[in-house]
């Protein structure tokens, strides 16, 4: 007997939820699972190799080769990464509305390969760089900055990469999770490790990028380093396409934006109507709703008030919404408070790609006779991520499961909170180290070891291991089923906003302090004050997060018992049921 991916529909009948490449019900024995998920994650692994290989060492190229100021270079890097993650939101809409996750990943992976190829050319052609200038950081006024044409070519390459990588990031985790059937207890158990292993895998790619690729960029040539990245991305596209027969596919279910705007428009249009006394008879689609009716954001319920329209759900969607559509919009709105408090974590993280790398250039980077490239100190960031991701899966989650009897162990919001605490500690450590580094450099005329930077890399890495996985899991699990890719894009938009906030803060601080805190010569600046500012903002942000987290209620779902009858369970109750199923 062929086992296919199905679930019970509202009337108790089996409904196909995943198909194979030919459009037939997906055969569990031949599609999906870890093999399919692994092939898909190859695209994200390659994207991470490309993006990390660029972003972690780009500031040294901008300052040292293109002779751009430290603050402006930092903003170029953070704006590039911010745009990349913001474009992920657009790609998520595109996948949910029209293309589907598979086609979106394939198209945008190809765009990424094109962008890295352009970057290879931009950094290899001599005419794309200004004349060489020794010791720019000290004598920057005597150097010629890159001209408009040179920067235009560089920006074209960077933002082509941003477009492609954003499309991969917003869809690859959702497409990977599609390879597991959450109605199957064995696959549910496998799925519980998916996000951790997903991030462990891409952190390995990041580790390779900041060690091997950064070394090649600094010692062999930028063109060689970026050329390897381009080749890696091409190989990933070939592997992705080659695995097509073993994937499970879920069809695009229409534009989530249309649903959101439709509900908001109708709620405003019908704002003067009275709330129904009996929702089951007055709200369109109440009895057949796939998502239970909730009391939050009650004003939106008016979008589903059926006046003279058909109560069977056949009405014009721009005349009346269904309860399912209204509740899906409510789910999205419930994500926003948590979304807003995740932004500052990524503002802190962005310092690891800019000022911390620049700090390393003013420190002793020798390891015996070997000089460690500035960008390679991010090694400690990613090795910490790998360590804590492994500990999460093997130790923390297992221990928490025994204590809480919950299959999740550590909830997504708890992970995020732990990550925020680590980020504050990282900025405190960074401020202390920078103050000591500068005082020793100025008063003793010596350079301290760059390994003093390890604590801040360690703390941010530990925080990211919790925060990234927690945020990704939160936004995918809490989003409506039809809006998974959009929700992933919403999560990535927090990263985007974090980088943009960093650019804004750098510009504001430079203007307010008249560039006395952030200078090309860090020995004459007060960079530690900028770190202290981020630490204070982090504490305030964490307190706001606690308030939102305590008020958040996990979404509810419709389940069916053994008789095909519908039962309504909260998210945590559902997890307990799945846990018991796995024990059986």
């Amino acid at each position: 007997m062929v086992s296919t991916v199905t679930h019970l529909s509202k009337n108790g009948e089996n409904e196909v939820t995943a198909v194979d490449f030919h459009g037939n019900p997906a055969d569990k024995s031949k599609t999906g699972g870890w093999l399919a998920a692994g092939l898909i994650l190859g695209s994200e692994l390659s994207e991470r190799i490309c993006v990390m290989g660029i972003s972690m060492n780009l500031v040294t190229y901008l300052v040292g080769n293109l002779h751009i100021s430290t603050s402006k270079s930092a903003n170029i890097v953070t704006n590039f990464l911010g745009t990349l993650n913001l474009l992920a939101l657009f790609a998520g809409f595109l996948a949910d509305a029209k293309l589907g996750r598979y086609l979106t990943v394939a198209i945008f992976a190809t765009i990424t390969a094109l962008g890295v190829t352009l970057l290879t050319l931009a950094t290899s052609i001599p005419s794309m760089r200004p004349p060489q200038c020794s010791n720019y950081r000290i004598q920057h006024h005597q150097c010629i900055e890159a001209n408009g044409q040179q920067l235009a070519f560089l920006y074209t390459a960077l933002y082509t990469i941003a477009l492609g990588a954003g499309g991969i990031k917003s869809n690859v985790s959702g497409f990977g999770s599609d390879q597991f059937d959450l109605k199957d207890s064995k696959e549910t158990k496998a799925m519980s490790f998916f996000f951790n292993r997903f991030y462990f895998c891409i952190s390995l790619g990041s580790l390779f990028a900041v060690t091997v690729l950064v070394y090649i960029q600094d010692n062999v040539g930028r063109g060689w380093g970026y050329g390897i990245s381009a080749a890696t991305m091409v190989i990933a596209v070939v592997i992705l396409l080659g695995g097509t027969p073993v994937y499970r596919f879920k069809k695009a279910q229409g534009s989530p934006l249309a649903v959101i705007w439709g509900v908001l428009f109708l709620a405003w249009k019908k704002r003067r109507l009275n709330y129904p006394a009996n929702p089951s008879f007055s709200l369109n689609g109440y009895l057949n709703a796939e998502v239970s009716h909730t009391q939050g954001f009650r004003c939106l319920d008016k979008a589903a008030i059926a006046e003279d329209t058909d109560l069977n759900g056949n009405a014009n969607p721009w005349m009346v919404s269904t309860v399912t559509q209204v509740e899906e919009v409510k789910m999205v709105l419930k994500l926003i408070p948590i979304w807003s408090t995740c932004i500052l974590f990524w503002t802190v993280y962005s310092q690891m790609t800019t000022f911390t790398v620049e700090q390393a250039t003013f420190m002793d980077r020798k390891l015996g006779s070997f000089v460690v490239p500035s960008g390679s100190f991010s090694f400690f960031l990613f090795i910490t991520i790998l360590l804590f991701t492994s500990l999460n899966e093997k130790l923390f989650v297992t221990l928490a499961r025994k204590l809480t009897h919950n299959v999740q162990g550590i909830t997504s919001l708890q992970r995020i909170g732990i990550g925020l605490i680590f980020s504050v500690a990282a900025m405190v450590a960074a401020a202390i180290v920078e103050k000591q580094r500068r005082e020793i450099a100025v008063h003793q005329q010596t350079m301290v070891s760059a390994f003093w930077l390890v604590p801040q890399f360690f703390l941010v890495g530990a925080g990211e291991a919790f925060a990234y996985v927690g945020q990704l899991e939160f936004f995918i699990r809490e989003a409506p089923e039809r809006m998974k890719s959009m929700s992933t894009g919403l999560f990535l938009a927090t990263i985007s906003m974090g980088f943009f906030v960093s650019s804004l803060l750098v510009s504001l601080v430079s203007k307010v302090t008249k560039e006395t805190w952030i200078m090309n010569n860090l020995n004459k600046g007060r960079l530690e004050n900028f770190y202290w500012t981020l630490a204070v903002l982090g504490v305030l942000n964490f307190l706001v997060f606690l308030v939102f987290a305590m008020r958040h209620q996990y979404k509810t779902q419709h389940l069916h018992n053994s008789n095909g009858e519908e039962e309504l369970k909260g998210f945590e109750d559902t997890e307990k049921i799945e846990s018991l199923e796995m024990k059986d």
Side-chain angles (χ1 to χ4, degrees):
M1 181 178 177
V2 178
S3 177
T4 58
V5 184
T6 61
H7 69 76
L8 289 174
S9 63
K10 297 292 295 182
N11 57 15
E13 298 177 352
N14 282 333
E15 178 181 338
V16 175
T17 60
V19 298
D20 61 20
F21 184 65
H22 300 290
N24 301 317
D27 182 348
K28 283 188 178 182
S29 65
K30 297 179 181 179
T31 63
W34 280 111
L35 172 61
L39 295 175
I40 293 166
L41 293 184
S43 300
E44 177 61 14
L45 175 65
S46 299
E47 178 271 331
R48 184 53 69 100
I49 288 174
C50 292
V51 173
M52 287 297 126
I54 294 165
S55 61
M56 287 297 178
N57 205 31
L58 182 58
V59 71
T60 62
Y61 178 76
L62 296 172
V63 174
N65 296 83
L66 300 189
H67 311 149
I68 300 172
S69 69
T70 300
S71 58
K72 185 178 178 181
S73 295
N75 284 353
I76 290 174
V77 175
T78 51
N79 287 339
F80 159 66
L81 292 171
T83 303
L84 185 156
N85 288 286
L86 189 61
L87 286 170
L89 187 57
F90 159 74
F93 283 128
L94 191 62
D96 285 335
K98 189 69 176 177
L99 295 180
R101 296 181 188 114
Y102 167 74
L103 195 55
T104 304
V105 172
I107 291 173
F108 283 87
T110 304
I111 293 173
T112 304
L114 172 62
V116 183
T117 302
L118 290 175
L119 185 63
T120 303
L121 296 175
T123 55
S124 301
I125 301 173
S127 62
M128 289 296 103
R129 299 188 299 272
Q132 282 189 330
C133 180
S134 61
N135 211 358
Y136 167 74
R137 290 176 175 84
I138 306 299
Q139 300 174 337
H140 57 277
H141 295 298
Q142 302 174 12
C143 302
I144 300 174
E145 187 174 327
N147 60 38
Q149 182 181 3
Q150 292 165 340
L151 289 176
F153 193 8
L154 178 70
Y155 289 158
T156 299
L158 287 176
Y159 287 98
T160 301
I161 295 169
L163 174 62
I168 297 173
K169 292 173 82 70
S170 62
N171 292 283
V172 73
S173 57
F175 188 32
S177 66
D178 286 345
Q179 307 311 307
F180 302 93
D181 180 10
L182 295 183
K183 301 299 178 182
D184 183 307
S185 60
K186 291 183 179 179
E187 294 200 14
T188 298
K189 186 175 182 179
M191 176 66 176
S192 68
F193 294 111
F194 171 74
F195 294 109
N196 242 22
R197 292 178 182 177
F198 162 72
Y199 202 58
F200 183 89
C201 179
I202 61 178
S203 294
L204 279 177
S206 301
L207 197 61
F208 173 80
V210 300
T211 52
V212 177
L213 289 186
V214 167
Y215 178 81
I216 292 174
Q217 290 167 18
D218 283 0
N219 295 277
V220 180
R222 295 272 171 171
W224 282 100
Y226 296 145
I228 292 172
S229 296
T232 302
M233 201 68 240
V234 170
I235 293 171
V237 173
V238 172
I239 292 174
L240 176 72
L241 297 177
T244 300
V246 301
Y247 301 145
R248 294 175 188 170
F249 302 88
K250 292 186 178 180
K251 296 179 180 179
Q253 300 184 43
S255 172
L257 270 182
V259 174
I260 293 171
W261 286 119
V263 169
L264 295 177
F265 168 75
L266 290 172
W268 177 83
K269 180 181 177 182
K270 300 183 179 185
R271 65 190 183 280
R272 292 187 175 86
L273 297 179
N274 294 321
Y275 288 105
N278 191 333
S280 62
F281 292 104
S282 303
L283 295 184
N284 183 35
Y286 185 90
L287 298 178
N288 295 315
E290 297 175 10
V291 185
S292 63
H293 177 256
T294 60
Q295 294 299 318
F297 298 104
R298 197 179 175 206
C299 61
L300 297 181
D301 288 343
K302 292 186 177 182
I305 295 177
E307 297 176 279
D308 298 321
T309 54
D310 185 0
L311 290 176
N312 294 322
N314 298 319
N316 186 331
W318 288 100
M319 297 296 292
V320 62
S321 299
T322 64
V323 167
T324 296
Q325 291 170 334
V326 170
E327 291 302 322
E328 286 176 339
V329 174
K330 288 182 181 181
M331 287 181 195
V332 173
L333 292 178
K334 285 173 62 179
L335 301 178
I336 301 302
I338 301 298
W339 178 89
S340 65
T341 55
C342 292
I343 291 172
L344 199 66
F345 177 86
W346 299 106
T347 300
V348 169
Y349 174 87
S350 68
Q351 310 316 309
M352 301 300 105
T353 66
T354 54
F355 292 128
T356 302
V357 174
E358 188 66 5
Q359 279 178 275
T361 64
F362 285 83
M363 303 174 80
D364 181 6
R365 293 178 281 115
K366 290 183 179 179
L367 189 62
S369 59
F370 176 71
V371 179
V372 181
S374 299
S376 290
F377 277 89
S378 300
F379 166 86
F380 296 103
L381 174 70
F382 296 111
I383 200 68
T384 303
I385 292 171
L386 291 172
L387 172 64
F388 273 84
T389 303
S390 299
L391 289 175
N392 278 342
E393 184 173 314
K394 302 297 183 182
L395 180 61
F396 301 144
V397 172
T398 301
L399 181 61
R401 280 176 176 170
K402 291 180 179 179
L403 295 174
T404 63
H405 305 291
N406 187 315
V407 72
Q408 272 189 291
I410 305 174
T411 68
S412 53
L413 289 177
Q414 289 170 344
R415 291 177 191 264
I416 295 170
I418 294 171
L420 293 178
I421 293 172
F422 271 115
S423 70
V424 173
M427 288 299 93
V428 172
I432 294 172
V433 168
E434 173 57 15
K435 188 173 187 297
Q436 293 297 315
R437 182 208 66 77
R438 182 176 50 77
E439 289 183 351
I440 292 173
V442 172
H443 298 299
Q444 300 181 21
Q445 301 295 310
T446 59
M447 292 192 299
V448 301
S449 171
F451 289 93
W452 279 31
L453 299 173
V454 171
Q456 61 207 65
F457 278 119
F458 174 85
L459 290 168
V460 171
E464 186 179 356
F466 284 99
Y468 189 104
V469 175
Q471 289 177 42
L472 183 61
E473 181 180 16
F474 176 79
F475 282 97
I476 286 184
R477 282 184 180 268
E478 291 297 285
E481 182 64 28
R482 79 173 80 190
M483 301 182 186
K484 263 190 178 183
S485 292
M486 187 207 75
S487 179
T488 306
L490 190 63
F491 152 59
L492 293 172
T494 66
I495 304 178
S496 170
M497 295 304 297
F499 285 114
F500 285 138
V501 168
S502 178
S503 296
L504 177 62
L505 285 175
V506 169
S507 297
L508 287 175
V509 166
S510 295
K511 185 175 181 179
V512 171
T513 65
K514 299 181 180 179
E515 299 187 350
T516 58
W517 285 12
I518 303 172
M519 302 179 67
N520 291 328
N521 186 347
L522 294 185
N523 292 338
K524 295 181 179 180
R526 293 290 187 275
L527 182 60
E528 69 271 14
N529 291 342
F530 181 68
Y531 287 146
W532 282 119
T533 301
L534 287 175
V536 172
L537 291 174
V539 171
L540 297 175
N541 181 71
F542 177 70
L543 295 176
V544 175
F545 167 79
L546 282 181
V547 174
F548 289 149
M550 288 188 291
R551 292 181 177 179
H552 181 82
Q553 292 182 337
Y554 288 106
K555 77 176 183 181
T556 55
Q557 341 177 334
H558 286 282
L559 302 176
H560 292 82
N561 59 26
S562 58
N563 298 321
E565 298 172 345
E566 185 180 73
E567 294 180 346
L568 182 64
K569 295 289 181 181
F571 177 85
E572 293 184 353
D573 291 332
T574 303
E575 294 291 353
K576 291 177 182 177
I577 290 172
E578 292 172 346
S579 179
L580 292 173
E581 286 176 348
M582 283 186 273
K583 289 179 181 177
D584 293 339

